[in-house]
Amino acid sequence: MDATKWFSVLTARIPNDSNTFSRLGQLYLNANEDPQEAMHYKLESFRNFPVDLDVIGWIGSEFVKDELYGKSIYFFQQAALIQPNEVKWGLMIASALRRVEEYESALREYERLQQSFPDNGECKRNILTLRQMLGKVDRS
C-alpha cells in the first residue's frame, strides 16, 4: 500500500485531523496525480484548522494560478487576520483585487498598507499607478 492509500485510511479513522488532510493533499501534488484531489484535501485541512498559514497560502496561490482571483482574496484575508504585521498578505489581497478590476478597492488596500508599512516600495508604485489609472493624480 502506498502512502496516499495509508493517509486515506487515516483520514477515515481520524476525520478531523487537519495535518493528515494537508499531507494527503501534498502527496497528490508530489505525485502529480490529481490537482483537484490535492485542492480537496487542502480545503479539508483548512476547514478543520483554519489558521495554518502554509495551507492558507497554498490554497490562495492555487486560486491565483487558476485565475480565480476572487476566491483567492478570502484566503489571503484570512492569512492577514492571522498575521497582521506581514505585508505580503495585504499585497496579495490588493493584487487580486486589481486582477478582478476592483481598482478602487485595490487602491484603498494599498493605501491602508502604506500607512502600516510606509517604506514598502511596492505599495508606493501601485498607489501611483492606480491613481493614474483612476484619474486621481495630484497635480500640485
Side-chain angles (χ1 to χ4, degrees):
M1 212 176 208
D2 69 339
T4 306
K5 286 188 176 35
W6 281 113
F7 272 98
S8 294
V9 168
L10 192 55
T11 61
R13 301 241 178 193
I14 311 170
N16 297 322
D17 184 15
S18 65
N19 193 40
T20 301
F21 284 115
S22 179
R23 286 177 183 246
L24 186 54
Q26 196 61 45
L27 286 171
Y28 275 101
L29 283 175
N30 293 345
N32 291 322
E33 287 185 33
D34 187 354
Q36 289 179 335
E37 247 347 78
M39 177 61 85
H40 167 75
Y41 286 112
K42 292 287 189 172
L43 286 168
E44 280 299 306
S45 176
F46 174 77
R47 186 178 65 79
N48 285 288
F49 189 64
V51 294
D52 185 333
L53 288 169
D54 290 332
V55 170
I56 294 170
W58 183 88
I59 293 169
S61 296
E62 284 301 304
F63 281 135
V64 167
K65 283 183 199 172
D66 292 341
E67 298 182 6
L68 298 170
Y69 306 111
K71 287 186 175 187
S72 72
I73 292 168
Y74 170 78
F75 291 94
F76 296 142
Q77 288 171 333
Q78 295 308 303
L81 290 172
I82 297 164
Q83 232 179 8
N85 294 326
E86 180 58 61
V87 69
K88 78 176 180 180
W89 302 121
L91 291 171
M92 294 174 109
I93 293 166
S95 175
L97 287 167
R98 283 183 74 175
R99 290 174 184 233
V100 294
E101 300 181 0
E102 292 286 338
Y103 300 120
E104 291 281 347
S105 297
L107 178 59
R108 282 192 301 275
E109 182 66 19
Y110 282 122
E111 288 172 339
R112 184 192 67 74
L113 287 170
Q114 188 65 37
Q115 290 175 351
S116 299
F117 307 97
D119 296 330
N120 188 285
E122 189 174 342
C123 281
K124 291 176 185 177
R125 284 188 301 278
N126 284 302
I127 288 169
L128 289 174
T129 301
L130 284 169
R131 283 184 180 164
Q132 287 174 339
M133 281 178 57
L134 296 169
K136 295 183 176 189
V137 178
D138 189 16
R139 307 233 186 256
S140 52

